[in-house]
Amino acid sequence: MTAKIAINGYGTIGKRVAHAVSLQDDMEVVGVTKTRPTYEARMAIDNGFDLYAVSSEHVQGFKDANIPVQGTLSDLLAKADLVVDCAPGKKGAANLDTYKKAGVKAIFQGGEKHETAGFSFNASANYSEGLGKDLARVVSCNTTGLCRTLYPIYKELGIEWVQATMIRRSADPGDSKKGPINAIEPVLKVPSHHGPDVQTVVPGINIQTLAVKVPTTIMHLHTLVVKLGKPATKEQVLDIWKNEPRICFVNGGEGIKSTAQIMEMSRDLGRDRSDFYETVVWKDGVSVKGDLLYFIQAIHQESDVVPDNIDCIRALLQLETEAKASMSKTNKSMGIDN
Ligand code: NAD
């Protein structure tokens, strides 16, 4: 028996999670939802997924466009063990009562507040805390990237504090409505929400963050300074990260000097949609001086949370009790090197 998974919101994250679920042998997609009859709705059907309207008021739009829907979200939830909510940020929380009434477990995304689910998940840091829970939130792309590199350092060497700057892409590549297109926009809520968001997963990490938005669509980049719990060497830090399943090293010396070459590498690797699921650390940008660690990492915002959604499904439904086993299974199915 495979677990029955519904995807509510077949957009940037939802279509990727649906595809990733379809690659697993212990779960299957029972249907996906859309609000409007866009090309993505048609593609969902072409990709073999049953399409549902988010609510009854949206059904006529699909009829007018000759796109067949199997019913509405409530019909879909009746067939599901778990729903992955991929509605636009801040809209998912309104679906909570619907999921509770339908008696399905639910996973929200990082655009929702921690309080919506009361539990924030990152596979590398707290998989076992998710076992059997009814609700979880897979943290945002930036927070996922921060947890992956910081948690193992925190565990092995200790962390006194972290100061980090998030240099954020202004919009996803398919989103032509957002900007800036010719400016650098500081996030004036200082410090930014990213530090507290890491603490929803690992409360013990003392982290302060700032953020700026820049005119690029392909990736985020983080610069970090970490005061370690004890003096260490660069080799020790690299050894710790080498054993982590979702950290990938690149080298400026080998021509990967920017996020553009990371995306080019992903195209060369033949990944689905040219996605890059790992947190990418510049190996030749890592420096340790006594107890201070400096490093720079890049995050593919559209895809790094996708494998963690798969692991979160396994944790909530207790399909696998060990984090490493689940992550390894997910990685293998998605072409991520372990
Ligand atoms: P999106 O706008 O690309 O897709 C959202 C989808 O939800 C659309 O297909 C839309 O039809 C559907 N939808 C609209 N209203 C809905 C509703 N009330 N209920 C259910 N579905 C509805 O958004 P996205 O970028 O995929 O973001 C989804 C979530 O993932 C957000 O919480 C966001 O913060 C988070 N997230 C986004 C990114 C990213 O870079 N795009 C990265 C990590 C996390």
Side-chain angles (χ1 to χ4, degrees):
M1 274 276 284
T2 52
K4 311 257 182 285
I5 312 301
I7 310 291
N8 191 21
Y10 192 75
T12 307
I13 299 298
K15 63 188 173 188
R16 287 172 167 82
V17 173
H19 178 63
V21 168
S22 75
L23 299 174
Q24 314 304 314
D25 61 12
D26 51 355
M27 56 187 85
E28 64 178 297
V29 178
V30 286
V32 306
T33 71
K34 283 296 283 177
T35 45
R36 289 181 297 117
T38 60
Y39 84 96
E40 279 172 329
R42 227 178 261 290
M43 231 164 45
I45 297 173
D46 291 347
N47 289 336
F49 300 128
D50 284 346
L51 181 68
Y52 292 75
V54 165
S55 71
S56 50
E57 78 205 45
H58 297 114
V59 171
Q60 190 59 42
F62 290 97
K63 278 191 183 151
D64 293 345
N66 276 328
I67 297 181
V69 287
Q70 309 297 317
T72 61
L73 175 65
S74 49
D75 301 312
L76 173 58
L77 294 178
K79 295 182 178 160
D81 301 312
L82 181 149
V83 57
V84 185
D85 185 290
C86 300
K90 301 189 177 71
K91 285 201 175 169
N95 296 324
L96 178 62
D97 281 347
T98 308
Y99 301 152
K100 281 188 175 163
K101 276 188 199 130
V104 292
K105 294 186 182 239
I107 295 174
F108 293 90
Q109 304 303 311
E112 308 310 318
K113 290 195 170 121
H114 168 77
E115 290 71 27
T116 301
F119 170 64
S120 291
F121 178 89
N122 172 261
S124 308
N126 67 352
Y127 182 96
S128 61
E129 289 174 38
L131 290 172
K133 280 206 169 11
D134 288 334
L135 299 172
R137 175 185 75 128
V138 170
V139 287
S140 75
C141 47
N142 281 306
T143 307
T144 294
L146 290 168
C147 289
R148 284 182 185 159
T149 43
L150 292 175
Y151 179 69
I153 298 292
Y154 171 72
K155 205 173 53 174
E156 300 291 331
L157 300 171
I159 287 180
E160 282 203 21
W161 50 254
V162 182
Q163 294 190 352
T165 301
M166 319 282 99
I167 300 162
R168 295 172 47 199
R169 62 88 177 98
S170 54
D172 285 338
D175 187 354
S176 55
K177 294 191 298 289
K178 288 188 191 156
I181 56 170
N182 187 24
I184 298 174
E185 193 177 297
V187 175
L188 296 175
K189 187 182 171 297
V190 175
S192 76
H193 72 274
H194 305 89
D197 207 36
V198 169
Q199 291 167 334
T200 64
V201 180
V202 193
I205 295 184
N206 173 18
I207 173 170
Q208 316 295 330
T209 51
L210 293 171
V212 294
K213 271 205 268 182
V214 294
T216 181
T217 61
I218 51 179
M219 292 186 98
H220 300 300
L221 187 140
H222 301 163
T223 63
L224 298 100
V225 184
V226 181
K227 186 162 170 35
L228 302 169
K230 56 184 173 195
T233 62
K234 175 173 174 173
E235 286 64 39
Q236 267 177 293
V237 169
L238 294 180
D239 272 351
I240 290 168
W241 284 337
K242 210 167 61 193
N243 294 322
E244 286 297 312
R246 290 185 191 144
I247 294 177
C248 169
F249 293 125
V250 294
N251 276 299
E254 290 178 358
I256 302 195
K257 294 192 183 295
S258 77
T259 53
Q261 288 87 42
I262 297 173
M263 286 289 93
E264 181 67 6
M265 186 170 87
S266 201
R267 285 192 282 269
D268 290 339
L269 286 168
R271 296 268 178 94
D272 288 323
R273 296 184 172 85
S274 307
D275 283 346
F276 212 105
Y277 308 108
E278 301 95 316
T279 296
V280 184
V281 176
W282 271 275
K283 202 170 182 176
D284 40 7
V286 177
S287 169
V288 182
K289 294 194 188 331
D291 59 3
L292 286 181
L293 160 65
Y294 303 81
F295 68 103
I296 301 161
Q297 64 183 22
I299 309 296
H300 187 226
Q301 78 279 352
E302 295 171 284
S303 71
D304 75 329
V305 299
V306 176
D308 288 72
N309 269 276
I310 300 301
D311 297 319
C312 191
I313 293 171
R314 283 211 184 88
L316 266 53
L317 293 174
Q318 301 191 78
L319 302 177
E320 175 56 67
T321 52
E322 294 296 325
K324 278 217 156 117
S326 177
M327 291 173 80
S328 163
K329 194 172 166 74
T330 307
N331 280 9
K332 206 166 163 199
S333 70
M334 297 177 73
I336 305 169
D337 275 348
N338 270 319

